[in-house]
Amino acid sequence: MSRHATKQEWIELFQKTGLDRDQMNRWHHAFEQFYPEAHQGFLEWLQLPAKEITEIRAASKKEKP
Amino acid sequence: MESVGRLARRFGLSRTALLYYDRIGLLRPAARSTGNYREYGEEEVRRLEEICRYRRAGLPLSQVREVLERGAADRTAEVLSLRLEALNQEISRLREQQRIVVRLLQGRARMRRVRAMDKARWVELLRRSGLSDEDMERWHVEFERLQPAAHQDFLESLGISPEEIRRIRAWSRKGAHI
């Protein structure tokens, strides 16, 4: 059993919790706005490649919730 | 002819080392002076150069003596091959340690960043995204069901105490927080 969740598993988790796409985007945006370092750390915890992390964070900065 | 002191200075060794080499028969002086001082000639200087070369290769004195024996060409090749093998093993051991140290440093950096989050901040973040208390409860239940080990790891990364983690996971497994 992995100590890390994957991105797919995390998305599935949020979907099962009842979050829609908009809420997930809002979550990324708030994460990036208030705790940018922790956002980076969280994405690394999901073991995403550096390139994808950069893209997600850039998109989160732009996102207008 | 050279005295012990001069020879030692020239090779960057201590006098004691040269006296020891004499005692174990590795490098004997060519002669004794009238005052019974050790005197070393050109042949001893050449032998000492060889001794130093093998020492720099990491051979212990006992093996240096072996390879310097006359007619020891085969033995020399054997000793050097073994030394090379030992060096290669040592290098791969060091490389493995290097890999582990790098991994540890990366792990620490990652945990430090995740730990910048604590429970209160995380809850605030979920609330801003529009989650109600019931949603967050459901989130724990699903997390525990889908990824129990990752759930544990995640709660640890928020700096939550072991007892509280146990409580959260226990009610998550039951499917509700009551």
Side-chain angles (χ1 to χ4, degrees):
Chain A
M1 189 77 61
S2 172
R3 302 266 299 166
H4 295 262
T6 65
K7 180 183 162 188
Q8 277 321 308
E9 287 160 349
W10 192 265
I11 291 174
E12 189 192 343
L13 180 58
F14 266 178
Q15 284 168 341
K16 296 236 180 206
T17 306
L19 267 78
D20 58 23
R21 202 65 236 175
D22 275 356
Q23 283 174 304
M24 289 187 215
N25 287 340
R26 213 178 309 155
W27 175 74
H28 269 300
H29 181 75
F31 212 164
E32 184 60 33
Q33 188 183 356
F34 295 103
Y35 311 110
E37 280 273 278
H39 195 198
Q40 171 78 25
F42 172 79
L43 295 170
E44 285 175 14
W45 182 73
L46 291 181
Q47 299 188 307
L48 295 182
K51 189 168 174 286
E52 193 175 351
I53 291 179
T54 313
E55 287 163 4
I56 292 174
R57 292 189 60 192
S60 307
K61 282 195 190 93
K62 273 185 277 171
E63 205 81 43
K64 278 275 186 298
Chain B
M1 286 292 182
E2 288 189 59
S3 68
V4 171
R6 260 189 69 183
L7 194 63
R9 263 198 308 281
R10 195 164 132 189
F11 281 86
L13 296 166
S14 63
R15 279 182 83 254
T16 323
L18 290 182
L19 298 182
Y20 180 68
Y21 290 179
D22 183 9
R23 198 159 68 239
I24 63 171
L26 182 61
L27 182 72
R28 296 200 187 284
R32 294 277 180 160
S33 70
T34 41
N36 202 30
Y37 292 113
R38 290 171 176 79
E39 294 198 312
Y40 296 87
E42 270 178 38
E43 197 183 319
E44 286 70 39
V45 169
R46 271 196 302 277
R47 188 172 167 89
L48 186 53
E49 277 167 1
E50 276 203 277
I51 291 170
C52 289
R53 194 167 328 133
Y54 286 122
R55 289 294 283 155
R56 281 201 300 277
L59 294 188
L61 287 177
S62 58
Q63 287 186 342
V64 174
R65 195 168 46 185
E66 267 187 82
V67 302
L68 287 184
E69 265 166 29
R70 252 187 277 276
D74 286 353
R75 180 63 188 143
T76 304
E78 188 188 344
V79 163
L80 288 176
S81 301
L82 286 172
R83 178 66 193 141
L84 187 60
E85 201 178 305
L87 282 171
N88 288 340
Q89 277 171 12
E90 178 77 353
I91 287 168
S92 47
R93 205 175 57 78
L94 288 173
R95 283 212 189 289
E96 177 59 20
Q97 287 184 2
Q98 186 187 40
R99 269 196 296 276
I100 291 170
V101 167
V102 168
R103 266 206 305 278
L104 284 172
L105 277 175
Q106 286 169 344
R108 276 175 62 90
R110 186 162 57 223
M111 282 316 282
R112 248 203 318 277
R113 274 202 291 271
V114 177
R115 279 192 197 288
M117 285 308 275
D118 57 21
K119 187 183 162 189
R121 289 172 173 186
W122 184 257
V123 168
E124 180 211 322
L125 199 55
L126 291 178
R127 198 157 277 145
R128 275 181 191 278
S129 315
L131 268 75
S132 64
D133 287 352
E134 293 73 40
D135 291 335
M136 289 186 218
E137 206 172 288
R138 194 158 54 241
W139 177 76
H140 277 295
V141 171
E142 290 299 334
F143 206 168
E144 183 63 28
R145 193 171 65 81
L146 297 168
Q147 290 286 314
H151 193 198
Q152 171 77 28
D153 188 56
F154 181 81
L155 294 172
E156 283 174 12
S157 81
L158 292 183
I160 298 174
S161 73
E163 303 100 274
E164 194 180 350
I165 292 180
R166 260 199 302 281
R167 273 202 304 278
I168 292 172
R169 295 189 62 195
W171 64 249
S172 299
R173 273 195 293 275
K174 278 194 292 180
H177 178 200
I178 297 156

